[in-house]
mmCIF file of all heavy atoms in Angstrom:
data_model
loop_
_atom_site.group_PDB
_atom_site.id
_atom_site.type_symbol
_atom_site.label_atom_id
_atom_site.label_comp_id
_atom_site.label_asym_id
_atom_site.label_seq_id
_atom_site.Cartn_x
_atom_site.Cartn_y
_atom_site.Cartn_z
ATOM 1 N N ASP A 1 -7.927 156.569 -173.491
ATOM 2 C CA ASP A 1 -6.596 156.288 -174.028
ATOM 3 C C ASP A 1 -5.649 155.842 -172.921
ATOM 4 O O ASP A 1 -4.760 155.030 -173.145
ATOM 5 C CB ASP A 1 -6.038 157.534 -174.716
ATOM 6 C CG ASP A 1 -6.707 157.822 -176.042
ATOM 7 O OD1 ASP A 1 -6.223 157.317 -177.063
ATOM 8 O OD2 ASP A 1 -7.735 158.524 -176.055
ATOM 9 N N LEU A 2 -5.851 156.392 -171.735
ATOM 10 C CA LEU A 2 -4.999 156.035 -170.601
ATOM 11 C C LEU A 2 -5.250 154.595 -170.168
ATOM 12 O O LEU A 2 -4.319 153.856 -169.834
ATOM 13 C CB LEU A 2 -5.268 156.995 -169.445
ATOM 14 C CG LEU A 2 -4.116 157.275 -168.480
ATOM 15 C CD1 LEU A 2 -2.929 157.846 -169.231
ATOM 16 C CD2 LEU A 2 -4.556 158.216 -167.386
ATOM 17 N N TYR A 3 -6.530 154.179 -170.161
ATOM 18 C CA TYR A 3 -6.866 152.788 -169.855
ATOM 19 C C TYR A 3 -6.188 151.843 -170.852
ATOM 20 O O TYR A 3 -5.601 150.826 -170.485
ATOM 21 C CB TYR A 3 -8.374 152.572 -169.929
ATOM 22 C CG TYR A 3 -9.135 152.988 -168.698
ATOM 23 C CD1 TYR A 3 -9.814 154.203 -168.653
ATOM 24 C CD2 TYR A 3 -9.206 152.169 -167.574
ATOM 25 C CE1 TYR A 3 -10.526 154.600 -167.532
ATOM 26 C CE2 TYR A 3 -9.912 152.546 -166.444
ATOM 27 C CZ TYR A 3 -10.569 153.766 -166.431
ATOM 28 O OH TYR A 3 -11.268 154.152 -165.308
ATOM 29 N N VAL A 4 -6.301 152.197 -172.133
ATOM 30 C CA VAL A 4 -5.723 151.361 -173.179
ATOM 31 C C VAL A 4 -4.208 151.318 -173.051
ATOM 32 O O VAL A 4 -3.592 150.250 -173.183
ATOM 33 C CB VAL A 4 -6.142 151.879 -174.573
ATOM 34 C CG1 VAL A 4 -5.406 151.121 -175.678
ATOM 35 C CG2 VAL A 4 -7.647 151.736 -174.764
ATOM 36 N N LEU A 5 -3.594 152.456 -172.767
ATOM 37 C CA LEU A 5 -2.144 152.513 -172.607
ATOM 38 C C LEU A 5 -1.690 151.618 -171.454
ATOM 39 O O LEU A 5 -0.738 150.841 -171.592
ATOM 40 C CB LEU A 5 -1.706 153.955 -172.355
ATOM 41 C CG LEU A 5 -0.219 154.191 -172.100
ATOM 42 C CD1 LEU A 5 0.615 153.736 -173.289
ATOM 43 C CD2 LEU A 5 0.049 155.656 -171.786
ATOM 44 N N SER A 6 -2.366 151.706 -170.314
ATOM 45 C CA SER A 6 -2.001 150.883 -169.155
ATOM 46 C C SER A 6 -2.147 149.398 -169.469
ATOM 47 O O SER A 6 -1.290 148.582 -169.097
ATOM 48 C CB SER A 6 -2.879 151.259 -167.958
ATOM 49 O OG SER A 6 -2.719 152.603 -167.604
ATOM 50 N N GLY A 7 -3.231 149.049 -170.154
ATOM 51 C CA GLY A 7 -3.446 147.654 -170.520
ATOM 52 C C GLY A 7 -2.396 147.140 -171.482
ATOM 53 O O GLY A 7 -1.944 145.988 -171.386
ATOM 54 N N ASN A 8 -1.956 147.982 -172.411
ATOM 55 C CA ASN A 8 -0.911 147.588 -173.353
ATOM 56 C C ASN A 8 0.444 147.449 -172.678
ATOM 57 O O ASN A 8 1.231 146.569 -173.024
ATOM 58 C CB ASN A 8 -0.829 148.598 -174.503
ATOM 59 C CG ASN A 8 -1.829 148.320 -175.607
ATOM 60 O OD1 ASN A 8 -1.467 147.945 -176.723
ATOM 61 N ND2 ASN A 8 -3.109 148.499 -175.318
ATOM 62 N N PHE A 9 0.722 148.321 -171.698
ATOM 63 C CA PHE A 9 1.965 148.181 -170.950
ATOM 64 C C PHE A 9 1.970 146.876 -170.156
ATOM 65 O O PHE A 9 2.995 146.198 -170.054
ATOM 66 C CB PHE A 9 2.151 149.385 -170.009
ATOM 67 C CG PHE A 9 3.059 150.440 -170.571
ATOM 68 C CD1 PHE A 9 2.766 151.051 -171.787
ATOM 69 C CD2 PHE A 9 4.208 150.827 -169.905
ATOM 70 C CE1 PHE A 9 3.605 152.019 -172.322
ATOM 71 C CE2 PHE A 9 5.058 151.788 -170.427
ATOM 72 C CZ PHE A 9 4.755 152.387 -171.640
ATOM 73 N N LEU A 10 0.825 146.527 -169.592
ATOM 74 C CA LEU A 10 0.716 145.265 -168.860
ATOM 75 C C LEU A 10 0.973 144.093 -169.804
ATOM 76 O O LEU A 10 1.635 143.115 -169.436
ATOM 77 C CB LEU A 10 -0.680 145.153 -168.237
ATOM 78 C CG LEU A 10 -0.937 143.964 -167.312
ATOM 79 C CD1 LEU A 10 -0.029 144.015 -166.091
ATOM 80 C CD2 LEU A 10 -2.400 143.945 -166.869
ATOM 81 N N GLN A 11 0.466 144.184 -171.012
ATOM 82 C CA GLN A 11 0.637 143.140 -172.015
ATOM 83 C C GLN A 11 2.109 142.999 -172.433
ATOM 84 O O GLN A 11 2.645 141.897 -172.520
ATOM 85 C CB GLN A 11 -0.219 143.451 -173.244
ATOM 86 C CG GLN A 11 0.050 142.606 -174.479
ATOM 87 C CD GLN A 11 -0.518 141.208 -174.391
ATOM 88 O OE1 GLN A 11 -1.458 140.962 -173.652
ATOM 89 N NE2 GLN A 11 0.056 140.283 -175.150
ATOM 90 N N HIS A 12 2.775 144.119 -172.676
ATOM 91 C CA HIS A 12 4.119 144.083 -173.251
ATOM 92 C C HIS A 12 5.250 144.113 -172.229
ATOM 93 O O HIS A 12 6.336 143.590 -172.489
ATOM 94 C CB HIS A 12 4.290 145.255 -174.221
ATOM 95 C CG HIS A 12 3.481 145.129 -175.476
ATOM 96 N ND1 HIS A 12 3.889 144.374 -176.552
ATOM 97 C CD2 HIS A 12 2.275 145.653 -175.817
ATOM 98 C CE1 HIS A 12 2.977 144.447 -177.517
ATOM 99 N NE2 HIS A 12 1.993 145.213 -177.085
ATOM 100 N N PHE A 13 5.017 144.750 -171.064
ATOM 101 C CA PHE A 13 6.083 144.901 -170.086
ATOM 102 C C PHE A 13 5.826 144.145 -168.783
ATOM 103 O O PHE A 13 6.695 144.100 -167.917
ATOM 104 C CB PHE A 13 6.292 146.387 -169.759
ATOM 105 C CG PHE A 13 6.761 147.208 -170.931
ATOM 106 C CD1 PHE A 13 5.923 148.138 -171.524
ATOM 107 C CD2 PHE A 13 8.030 147.037 -171.447
ATOM 108 C CE1 PHE A 13 6.343 148.898 -172.598
ATOM 109 C CE2 PHE A 13 8.464 147.793 -172.524
ATOM 110 C CZ PHE A 13 7.623 148.727 -173.107
ATOM 111 N N GLY A 14 4.623 143.605 -168.618
ATOM 112 C CA GLY A 14 4.317 142.836 -167.411
ATOM 113 C C GLY A 14 3.862 143.682 -166.241
ATOM 114 O O GLY A 14 3.584 143.167 -165.172
ATOM 115 N N ASN A 15 3.800 145.011 -166.411
ATOM 116 C CA ASN A 15 3.254 145.895 -165.375
ATOM 117 C C ASN A 15 2.600 147.082 -166.071
ATOM 118 O O ASN A 15 2.885 147.372 -167.229
ATOM 119 C CB ASN A 15 4.332 146.359 -164.394
ATOM 120 C CG ASN A 15 5.341 147.291 -165.032
ATOM 121 O OD1 ASN A 15 5.077 148.471 -165.200
ATOM 122 N ND2 ASN A 15 6.502 146.754 -165.397
ATOM 123 N N CYS A 16 1.710 147.755 -165.351
ATOM 124 C CA CYS A 16 0.899 148.795 -165.981
ATOM 125 C C CYS A 16 1.420 150.205 -165.727
ATOM 126 O O CYS A 16 0.791 151.179 -166.123
ATOM 127 C CB CYS A 16 -0.555 148.689 -165.510
ATOM 128 S SG CYS A 16 -0.782 148.918 -163.734
ATOM 129 N N LYS A 17 2.564 150.340 -165.076
ATOM 130 C CA LYS A 17 3.079 151.668 -164.755
ATOM 131 C C LYS A 17 3.770 152.277 -165.966
ATOM 132 O O LYS A 17 4.703 151.699 -166.520
ATOM 133 C CB LYS A 17 4.041 151.619 -163.567
ATOM 134 C CG LYS A 17 4.576 152.999 -163.185
ATOM 135 C CD LYS A 17 5.323 152.954 -161.881
ATOM 136 C CE LYS A 17 6.024 154.274 -161.580
ATOM 137 N NZ LYS A 17 5.111 155.418 -161.595
ATOM 138 N N VAL A 18 3.310 153.470 -166.354
ATOM 139 C CA VAL A 18 3.904 154.203 -167.470
ATOM 140 C C VAL A 18 4.904 155.200 -166.873
ATOM 141 O O VAL A 18 4.542 156.310 -166.475
ATOM 142 C CB VAL A 18 2.815 154.931 -168.293
ATOM 143 C CG1 VAL A 18 3.434 155.618 -169.499
ATOM 144 C CG2 VAL A 18 1.722 153.946 -168.731
ATOM 145 N N ASP A 19 6.161 154.807 -166.806
ATOM 146 C CA ASP A 19 7.164 155.550 -166.043
ATOM 147 C C ASP A 19 7.397 156.973 -166.537
ATOM 148 O O ASP A 19 7.707 157.863 -165.736
ATOM 149 C CB ASP A 19 8.502 154.796 -166.058
ATOM 150 C CG ASP A 19 8.449 153.513 -165.248
ATOM 151 O OD1 ASP A 19 7.687 153.475 -164.270
ATOM 152 O OD2 ASP A 19 9.159 152.556 -165.588
ATOM 153 N N PHE A 20 7.282 157.187 -167.838
ATOM 154 C CA PHE A 20 7.631 158.507 -168.366
ATOM 155 C C PHE A 20 6.522 159.541 -168.145
ATOM 156 O O PHE A 20 6.730 160.733 -168.345
ATOM 157 C CB PHE A 20 7.964 158.424 -169.865
ATOM 158 C CG PHE A 20 6.822 157.992 -170.746
ATOM 159 C CD1 PHE A 20 5.888 158.911 -171.204
ATOM 160 C CD2 PHE A 20 6.687 156.664 -171.125
ATOM 161 C CE1 PHE A 20 4.839 158.519 -172.021
ATOM 162 C CE2 PHE A 20 5.640 156.257 -171.946
ATOM 163 C CZ PHE A 20 4.719 157.185 -172.397
ATOM 164 N N MET A 21 5.357 159.116 -167.726
ATOM 165 C CA MET A 21 4.233 160.033 -167.527
ATOM 166 C C MET A 21 4.126 160.384 -166.042
ATOM 167 O O MET A 21 3.782 159.556 -165.221
ATOM 168 C CB MET A 21 2.933 159.387 -168.030
ATOM 169 C CG MET A 21 1.758 160.343 -168.137
ATOM 170 S SD MET A 21 0.267 159.540 -168.834
ATOM 171 C CE MET A 21 0.831 159.144 -170.494
ATOM 172 N N ARG A 22 4.425 161.628 -165.709
ATOM 173 C CA ARG A 22 4.415 162.056 -164.314
ATOM 174 C C ARG A 22 3.151 162.850 -163.957
ATOM 175 O O ARG A 22 2.745 162.860 -162.798
ATOM 176 C CB ARG A 22 5.647 162.915 -164.024
ATOM 177 C CG ARG A 22 6.963 162.235 -164.399
ATOM 178 C CD ARG A 22 7.233 161.001 -163.564
ATOM 179 N NE ARG A 22 8.405 160.275 -164.001
ATOM 180 C CZ ARG A 22 9.651 160.567 -163.657
ATOM 181 N NH1 ARG A 22 9.868 161.605 -162.865
ATOM 182 N NH2 ARG A 22 10.655 159.854 -164.093
ATOM 183 N N ASN A 23 2.576 163.521 -164.944
ATOM 184 C CA ASN A 23 1.375 164.333 -164.714
ATOM 185 C C ASN A 23 0.395 164.093 -165.853
ATOM 186 O O ASN A 23 0.797 163.987 -167.015
ATOM 187 C CB ASN A 23 1.728 165.825 -164.662
ATOM 188 C CG ASN A 23 2.813 166.140 -163.661
ATOM 189 O OD1 ASN A 23 2.577 166.127 -162.461
ATOM 190 N ND2 ASN A 23 4.023 166.405 -164.155
ATOM 191 N N TYR A 24 -0.884 164.009 -165.496
ATOM 192 C CA TYR A 24 -1.898 163.711 -166.518
ATOM 193 C C TYR A 24 -3.134 164.571 -166.316
ATOM 194 O O TYR A 24 -3.543 164.856 -165.178
ATOM 195 C CB TYR A 24 -2.301 162.237 -166.478
ATOM 196 C CG TYR A 24 -3.468 161.947 -167.407
ATOM 197 C CD1 TYR A 24 -3.274 161.855 -168.773
ATOM 198 C CD2 TYR A 24 -4.765 161.821 -166.903
ATOM 199 C CE1 TYR A 24 -4.352 161.635 -169.631
ATOM 200 C CE2 TYR A 24 -5.838 161.604 -167.752
ATOM 201 C CZ TYR A 24 -5.623 161.513 -169.110
ATOM 202 O OH TYR A 24 -6.682 161.309 -169.953
ATOM 203 N N CYS A 25 -3.758 164.961 -167.431
ATOM 204 C CA CYS A 25 -5.009 165.721 -167.391
ATOM 205 C C CYS A 25 -5.961 165.186 -168.442
ATOM 206 O O CYS A 25 -5.577 164.995 -169.609
ATOM 207 C CB CYS A 25 -4.732 167.211 -167.653
ATOM 208 S SG CYS A 25 -6.232 168.205 -167.852
ATOM 209 N N ASP A 26 -7.187 164.924 -168.028
ATOM 210 C CA ASP A 26 -8.256 164.546 -168.958
ATOM 211 C C ASP A 26 -8.793 165.841 -169.558
ATOM 212 O O ASP A 26 -9.578 166.546 -168.937
ATOM 213 C CB ASP A 26 -9.357 163.789 -168.201
ATOM 214 C CG ASP A 26 -10.500 163.342 -169.104
ATOM 215 O OD1 ASP A 26 -10.605 163.840 -170.243
ATOM 216 O OD2 ASP A 26 -11.311 162.509 -168.649
ATOM 217 N N VAL A 27 -8.354 166.165 -170.786
ATOM 218 C CA VAL A 27 -8.702 167.453 -171.378
ATOM 219 C C VAL A 27 -10.183 167.500 -171.771
ATOM 220 O O VAL A 27 -10.783 168.585 -171.841
ATOM 221 C CB VAL A 27 -7.785 167.767 -172.585
ATOM 222 C CG1 VAL A 27 -8.099 166.879 -173.772
ATOM 223 C CG2 VAL A 27 -7.870 169.237 -172.964
ATOM 224 N N GLN A 28 -10.801 166.352 -171.985
ATOM 225 C CA GLN A 28 -12.241 166.327 -172.247
ATOM 226 C C GLN A 28 -12.999 166.828 -171.028
ATOM 227 O O GLN A 28 -13.891 167.677 -171.127
ATOM 228 C CB GLN A 28 -12.702 164.908 -172.595
ATOM 229 C CG GLN A 28 -14.195 164.812 -172.874
ATOM 230 C CD GLN A 28 -14.700 163.375 -172.843
ATOM 231 O OE1 GLN A 28 -14.489 162.646 -171.886
ATOM 232 N NE2 GLN A 28 -15.360 162.964 -173.916
ATOM 233 N N LYS A 29 -12.635 166.303 -169.860
ATOM 234 C CA LYS A 29 -13.287 166.705 -168.615
ATOM 235 C C LYS A 29 -13.080 168.189 -168.360
ATOM 236 O O LYS A 29 -13.997 168.897 -167.905
ATOM 237 C CB LYS A 29 -12.730 165.873 -167.459
ATOM 238 C CG LYS A 29 -13.486 166.014 -166.151
ATOM 239 C CD LYS A 29 -12.948 165.033 -165.124
ATOM 240 C CE LYS A 29 -13.737 165.125 -163.822
ATOM 241 N NZ LYS A 29 -13.219 164.148 -162.816
ATOM 242 N N TYR A 30 -11.874 168.681 -168.649
ATOM 243 C CA TYR A 30 -11.580 170.103 -168.462
ATOM 244 C C TYR A 30 -12.442 170.957 -169.399
ATOM 245 O O TYR A 30 -13.061 171.938 -168.962
ATOM 246 C CB TYR A 30 -10.100 170.359 -168.719
ATOM 247 C CG TYR A 30 -9.730 171.824 -168.724
ATOM 248 C CD1 TYR A 30 -9.691 172.557 -167.543
ATOM 249 C CD2 TYR A 30 -9.430 172.477 -169.919
ATOM 250 C CE1 TYR A 30 -9.366 173.914 -167.550
ATOM 251 C CE2 TYR A 30 -9.105 173.826 -169.941
ATOM 252 C CZ TYR A 30 -9.075 174.535 -168.753
ATOM 253 O OH TYR A 30 -8.767 175.876 -168.767
ATOM 254 N N CYS A 31 -12.500 170.603 -170.660
ATOM 255 C CA CYS A 31 -13.265 171.386 -171.632
ATOM 256 C C CYS A 31 -14.762 171.364 -171.334
ATOM 257 O O CYS A 31 -15.470 172.357 -171.581
ATOM 258 C CB CYS A 31 -13.017 170.864 -173.049
ATOM 259 S SG CYS A 31 -11.381 171.283 -173.707
ATOM 260 N N MET A 32 -15.252 170.239 -170.796
ATOM 261 C CA MET A 32 -16.681 170.134 -170.481
ATOM 262 C C MET A 32 -17.119 171.174 -169.464
ATOM 263 O O MET A 32 -18.279 171.574 -169.434
ATOM 264 C CB MET A 32 -16.994 168.725 -169.967
ATOM 265 C CG MET A 32 -17.088 167.670 -171.060
ATOM 266 S SD MET A 32 -17.218 165.977 -170.390
ATOM 267 C CE MET A 32 -18.679 166.111 -169.365
ATOM 268 N N ALA A 33 -16.182 171.638 -168.641
ATOM 269 C CA ALA A 33 -16.512 172.640 -167.630
ATOM 270 C C ALA A 33 -16.878 173.985 -168.258
ATOM 271 O O ALA A 33 -17.468 174.840 -167.602
ATOM 272 C CB ALA A 33 -15.337 172.809 -166.675
ATOM 273 N N PHE A 34 -16.556 174.138 -169.545
ATOM 274 C CA PHE A 34 -16.826 175.400 -170.234
ATOM 275 C C PHE A 34 -17.987 175.294 -171.227
ATOM 276 O O PHE A 34 -18.267 176.239 -171.953
ATOM 277 C CB PHE A 34 -15.570 175.863 -170.973
ATOM 278 C CG PHE A 34 -14.415 176.159 -170.066
ATOM 279 C CD1 PHE A 34 -13.528 175.156 -169.702
ATOM 280 C CD2 PHE A 34 -14.217 177.436 -169.562
ATOM 281 C CE1 PHE A 34 -12.456 175.419 -168.856
ATOM 282 C CE2 PHE A 34 -13.150 177.712 -168.714
ATOM 283 C CZ PHE A 34 -12.271 176.695 -168.358
ATOM 284 N N VAL A 35 -18.639 174.132 -171.253
ATOM 285 C CA VAL A 35 -19.771 173.926 -172.162
ATOM 286 C C VAL A 35 -21.063 174.004 -171.367
ATOM 287 O O VAL A 35 -21.255 173.254 -170.403
ATOM 288 C CB VAL A 35 -19.672 172.552 -172.872
ATOM 289 C CG1 VAL A 35 -20.883 172.338 -173.780
ATOM 290 C CG2 VAL A 35 -18.381 172.460 -173.681
ATOM 291 N N GLU A 36 -21.944 174.899 -171.756
ATOM 292 C CA GLU A 36 -23.215 175.060 -171.051
ATOM 293 C C GLU A 36 -24.187 173.965 -171.462
ATOM 294 O O GLU A 36 -24.472 173.785 -172.641
ATOM 295 C CB GLU A 36 -23.828 176.436 -171.358
ATOM 296 C CG GLU A 36 -23.037 177.603 -170.798
ATOM 297 C CD GLU A 36 -23.745 178.926 -171.006
ATOM 298 O OE1 GLU A 36 -24.913 178.897 -171.452
ATOM 299 O OE2 GLU A 36 -23.139 179.973 -170.742
ATOM 300 N N ARG A 37 -24.678 173.240 -170.441
ATOM 301 C CA ARG A 37 -25.660 172.174 -170.690
ATOM 302 C C ARG A 37 -26.654 172.141 -169.551
ATOM 303 O O ARG A 37 -26.374 172.635 -168.451
ATOM 304 C CB ARG A 37 -24.953 170.815 -170.834
ATOM 305 C CG ARG A 37 -24.165 170.696 -172.122
ATOM 306 C CD ARG A 37 -23.489 169.363 -172.231
ATOM 307 N NE ARG A 37 -22.478 169.184 -171.199
ATOM 308 C CZ ARG A 37 -21.886 168.019 -170.962
ATOM 309 N NH1 ARG A 37 -22.239 166.935 -171.633
ATOM 310 N NH2 ARG A 37 -20.959 167.917 -170.033
ATOM 311 N N ASP A 38 -27.819 171.547 -169.824
ATOM 312 C CA ASP A 38 -28.845 171.504 -168.790
ATOM 313 C C ASP A 38 -28.452 170.494 -167.711
ATOM 314 O O ASP A 38 -27.523 169.698 -167.870
ATOM 315 C CB ASP A 38 -30.223 171.162 -169.379
ATOM 316 C CG ASP A 38 -30.244 169.842 -170.141
ATOM 317 O OD1 ASP A 38 -29.603 168.870 -169.689
ATOM 318 O OD2 ASP A 38 -30.892 169.782 -171.200
ATOM 319 N N GLU A 39 -29.157 170.537 -166.594
ATOM 320 C CA GLU A 39 -28.838 169.714 -165.425
ATOM 321 C C GLU A 39 -28.848 168.228 -165.753
ATOM 322 O O GLU A 39 -28.027 167.462 -165.256
ATOM 323 C CB GLU A 39 -29.841 170.009 -164.310
ATOM 324 C CG GLU A 39 -29.506 169.380 -162.968
ATOM 325 C CD GLU A 39 -28.277 169.987 -162.321
ATOM 326 O OE1 GLU A 39 -27.943 171.147 -162.662
ATOM 327 O OE2 GLU A 39 -27.648 169.296 -161.487
ATOM 328 N N GLU A 40 -29.779 167.812 -166.618
ATOM 329 C CA GLU A 40 -29.934 166.388 -166.942
ATOM 330 C C GLU A 40 -28.727 165.840 -167.686
ATOM 331 O O GLU A 40 -28.358 164.674 -167.533
ATOM 332 C CB GLU A 40 -31.197 166.182 -167.784
ATOM 333 C CG GLU A 40 -31.468 164.731 -168.140
ATOM 334 C CD GLU A 40 -32.716 164.558 -168.995
ATOM 335 O OE1 GLU A 40 -33.439 165.573 -169.218
ATOM 336 O OE2 GLU A 40 -32.980 163.436 -169.436
#
């Protein structure tokens, strides 16, 4: 979603900086740390 947001800002505003977003977390990556899975 962040990739898409940056690309849309580039399309509409001419730059990819999302000024109102100061801190970001990929909650999928965070949650994956709590899911038990094999090494593969």
Side-chain angles (χ1 to χ4, degrees):
D1 287 270
L2 209 58
Y3 278 100
V4 173
L5 177 60
S6 300
N8 276 248
F9 262 58
L10 186 62
Q11 169 76 24
H12 290 278
F13 296 110
N15 68 80
C16 62
K17 181 170 172 55
V18 183
D19 291 330
F20 64 84
M21 192 177 295
R22 306 295 174 83
N23 306 286
Y24 173 77
C25 172
D26 181 345
V27 71
Q28 180 196 53
K29 190 174 182 179
Y30 173 73
C31 287
M32 282 172 57
F34 297 88
V35 178
E36 293 186 8
R37 289 180 295 170
D38 57 40
E39 189 68 23
E40 182 181 354

